[in-house]
């Protein structure tokens, strides 16, 4: 677990490195920043898991730091330290889902206890995020997982008999159901609910089975025996989708996105259905990513535009979105948003007489100092230097 400490007090920064036996607990204090600005610059390159931050600091206080940092890296955990027993600060910390708010002087035992609680959360989220990043993680049933790995090309009739898959005078199809992660529920609880939903669906639809996957996805092989034509099968499949969404809405408050493959009448065609389901899901993902890119280009000036807001709008897990976007475009979503904002800021500097703080507001920055820091980082020069360089001035 990587930890960043932020405090404008030089003595506090020096003493923090020795007050806690970091290595004993498997923790690493990776850096001590002197203010919020320096911390933001460091976060982008080094991505700490936890930020221990003083609240009262010049230029940018701890609350402002957390608001900006969590916009782009919502998984970072914050623990606030303050010499002030100020209820308003504590209330703001709660709104930001801070792990804790400790008043100075902080005793080592108290800090260690909070860090241990934080570590449990970090480890659980890291486990979930690894699963999400893999795209198609293992299914709960090991054997089906292996069949999926081989796109069902190695499946035979005995396998499907074991799972009671029935295609007598009917059709079958392979499908996935995706939905966004439910941050307000414990992941273990979500998994229990999904397992219960899948068990009920499997019992209700003889000859089919439904499996909860890690992350936010269900996998199913649905069959409808005694269904002589495709039109009838499509009708039953549509009814199934409605049934699944009804269960998801009732038990989890979400609706799913469905990706189904080609229908089949012979079990040896199941692997083709699986492949087309995967292709449909990937195609839809590419379309969503292009729409997200366009959405950023149209809404970059909105200071409320964050990774979580974008992910929620397009009904996709924010961790998974980050991974997919980087894979497709070669740049992570946060950097692309910065790129769009900075390029527009450069255009406004050269084409208008707006002040720096006015341009900051027009490209989505509430904090003009953070805008200036981002501008210098992106263009390798200050706002004034940029304007002088490209407007023809000496």
């Amino acid at each position: 677990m990587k930890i960043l400490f932020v405090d404008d007090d030089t003595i506090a920064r020096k003493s923090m490195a020795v007050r806690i036996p970091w290595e004993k607990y498997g923790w690493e204090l990776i850096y001590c920043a002197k203010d919020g600005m320096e911390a933001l610059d460091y976060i982008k390159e080094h991505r700490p898991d936890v930020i221990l931050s003083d609240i009262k600091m010049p230029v940018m206080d701890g609350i402002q730091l957390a608001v900006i940092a969590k916009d782009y890296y919502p998984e970072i955990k914050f623990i606030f330290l303050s010499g002030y027993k100020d209820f308003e600060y504590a209330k703001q910390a709660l709104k930001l889902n801070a792990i804790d708010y400790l008043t100075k002087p902080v005793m080592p035992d108290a800090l260690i206890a909070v860090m241990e609680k934080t570590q449990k959360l970090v480890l659980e989220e890291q486990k979930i995020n690894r699963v999400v990043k893999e795209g198609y993680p293992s299914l709960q049933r090991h054997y089906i997982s292996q069949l999926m790995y081989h796109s069902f090309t190695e499946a035979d009739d005995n396998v499907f008999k074991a799972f009671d898959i029935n295609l007598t005078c009917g059709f079958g199809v392979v499908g996935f159901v995706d939905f966004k992660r439910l941050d307000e529920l414990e992941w273990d609880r979500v998994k229990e609910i999904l397992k219960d939903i899948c068990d009920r669906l499997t019992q209700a639809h003889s000859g089919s089975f439904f499996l909860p996957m890690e992350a936010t996805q269900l996998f199913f092989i649905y069959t409808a025996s005694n269904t002589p034509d495709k039109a009838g099968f499509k009708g039953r499949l549509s009814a199934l989708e409605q049934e699944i969404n009804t269960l998801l809405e009732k038990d989890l408050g979400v609706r799913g996105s469905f990706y189904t493959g080609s229908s089949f009448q012979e079990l040896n065609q199941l692997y083709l259905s699986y492949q087309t389901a995967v292709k449909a899901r990937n195609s839809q993902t590419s379309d969503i990513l292009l729409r997200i890119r366009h959405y950023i280009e149209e809404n970059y000036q909105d200071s409320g535009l964050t990774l979580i807001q974008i992910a929620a709008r397009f009904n996709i897990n924010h961790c998974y979105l980050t991974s997919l976007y980087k894979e497709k475009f070669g740049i992570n979503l946060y950097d692309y948003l910065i790129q769009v904002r900075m390029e527009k800021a450069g255009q406004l500097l050269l084409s208008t007489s707006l002040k720096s703080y006015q341009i900051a507001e027009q490209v989505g920055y509430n904090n003009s100092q953070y805008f200036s820091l981002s501008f210098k980082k992106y263009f390798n020069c200050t706002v004034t230097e940029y304007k002088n360089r490209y407007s023809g001035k000496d």
Side-chain angles (χ1 to χ4, degrees):
M1 189 167 71
K2 297 184 295 183
I3 300 149
L4 169 64
F5 178 58
V6 190
D7 199 311
D8 61 315
D9 188 323
T10 304
I11 295 175
R13 293 198 304 274
K14 289 181 178 179
S15 64
M16 184 57 74
V18 296
R19 289 186 69 204
I20 305 294
W22 303 101
E23 293 184 1
K24 174 183 175 182
Y25 293 94
W27 306 330
E28 181 184 5
L29 183 64
I30 56 175
Y31 192 66
C32 293
K34 66 180 182 297
D35 55 43
M37 290 294 200
E38 184 183 10
L40 284 172
D41 201 32
Y42 187 85
I43 290 167
K44 187 173 182 297
E45 299 296 328
H46 302 278
R47 299 291 292 276
D49 299 302
V50 182
I51 295 179
L52 287 172
S53 178
D54 187 21
I55 284 192
K56 200 75 171 176
M57 295 183 291
V59 183
M60 179 185 289
D61 65 29
I63 297 294
Q64 291 174 313
L65 164 64
V67 168
I68 295 172
K70 288 181 81 66
D71 274 352
Y72 302 109
Y73 304 108
E75 69 278 7
I76 291 178
K77 303 289 180 278
F78 270 84
I79 299 170
F80 290 114
L81 313 176
S82 178
Y84 301 85
K85 295 180 180 179
D86 191 317
F87 177 71
E88 187 58 35
Y89 277 140
K91 188 166 69 173
Q92 291 181 64
L94 286 173
K95 285 183 179 179
L96 289 165
N97 293 320
I99 302 299
D100 216 327
Y101 178 95
L102 304 175
T103 54
K104 296 179 178 179
V106 180
M107 297 295 102
D109 287 349
L111 183 55
I112 288 171
V114 173
M115 292 298 300
E116 287 179 328
K117 178 174 70 173
T118 306
Q119 184 176 33
K120 291 180 181 178
L121 293 173
V122 169
L123 291 176
E124 178 64 18
E125 289 191 4
Q126 286 176 346
K127 177 182 176 182
I128 293 170
N129 292 342
R130 280 196 300 271
V131 170
V132 171
K133 192 174 180 180
E134 289 171 4
Y136 290 101
S138 297
L139 293 174
Q140 288 184 343
R141 300 186 191 180
H142 177 72
Y143 198 76
I144 292 296
S145 177
Q146 293 302 307
L147 293 177
M148 287 183 69
Y149 179 77
H150 295 287
S151 299
F152 289 93
T153 56
E154 297 184 2
D156 59 29
D157 288 356
N158 290 327
V159 171
F160 300 109
K161 286 178 182 176
F163 284 94
D164 297 321
I165 296 175
N166 181 13
L167 270 178
T168 305
C169 300
F171 292 85
V173 72
V174 173
F176 297 93
V177 186
D178 289 356
F179 52 91
K180 66 182 179 181
R181 181 179 165 189
L182 301 138
D183 292 317
E184 66 272 19
L185 291 179
E186 291 289 335
W187 183 238
D188 285 343
R189 178 60 183 149
V190 174
K191 286 193 291 186
E192 288 178 10
I193 294 172
L194 290 180
K195 184 178 183 303
D196 181 63
I197 289 174
C198 286
D199 287 345
R200 282 185 280 164
L201 287 167
T202 300
Q203 291 173 9
H205 297 279
S206 177
S208 307
F209 71 87
F210 301 78
L211 296 173
M213 297 179 70
E214 297 291 347
T216 48
Q217 191 177 85
L218 302 180
F219 170 78
F220 63 84
I221 296 178
Y222 173 66
T223 64
S225 60
N226 299 313
T227 306
D229 56 72
K230 283 191 176 182
F233 179 68
K234 285 184 178 179
R236 293 185 65 172
L237 184 58
S238 177
L240 173 70
E241 292 182 3
Q242 185 176 346
E243 180 183 0
I244 292 174
N245 267 333
T246 298
L247 290 171
L248 289 173
E249 285 186 308
K250 178 178 179 292
D251 295 346
L252 291 172
V254 298
R255 289 181 65 83
S257 298
F258 291 77
Y259 308 94
T260 52
S262 56
S263 58
F264 57 88
Q265 289 183 285
E266 301 291 337
L267 288 176
N268 59 13
Q269 298 171 335
L270 188 144
Y271 78 98
L272 289 175
S273 183
Y274 173 80
Q275 290 175 329
T276 53
V278 172
K279 185 177 180 181
R281 187 174 187 274
N282 290 343
S283 175
Q284 182 71 13
T285 297
S286 294
D287 178 63
I288 289 174
L289 291 177
L290 288 171
R291 285 164 53 205
I292 288 172
R293 192 177 183 91
H294 180 70
Y295 181 74
I296 290 172
E297 292 164 356
E298 292 292 317
N299 295 277
Y300 65 87
Q301 69 277 11
D302 180 4
S303 62
L305 191 64
T306 67
L307 175 59
I308 288 180
Q309 186 268 335
I310 294 170
R313 179 180 179 84
F314 288 89
N315 195 32
I316 187 170
N317 174 272
H318 66 263
C319 299
Y320 192 38
L321 172 58
T322 300
S323 175
L324 288 175
Y325 198 91
K326 178 68 176 291
E327 183 179 341
K328 181 169 180 63
F329 295 115
I331 181 173
N332 70 46
L333 196 62
Y334 166 72
D335 284 338
Y336 184 67
L337 177 58
I338 295 297
Q339 177 181 305
V340 171
R341 285 173 165 168
M342 289 298 104
E343 292 297 332
K344 185 61 179 178
Q347 293 173 20
L348 291 173
L349 274 173
L350 301 181
S351 62
T352 71
S353 58
L354 294 174
K355 303 293 185 183
S356 178
Y357 75 90
Q358 294 172 313
I359 291 176
E361 291 175 355
Q362 290 208 14
V363 296
Y365 285 85
N366 286 329
N367 188 306
S368 60
Q369 291 174 311
Y370 182 50
F371 165 74
S372 298
L373 179 68
S374 298
F375 190 95
K376 186 174 183 180
K377 181 78 173 178
Y378 185 81
F379 287 109
N380 200 30
C381 64
T382 65
V383 170
T384 302
E385 290 169 344
Y386 182 92
K387 192 165 186 176
N388 290 340
R389 182 183 303 170
Y390 294 107
S391 64
K393 296 181 181 180
D394 294 332

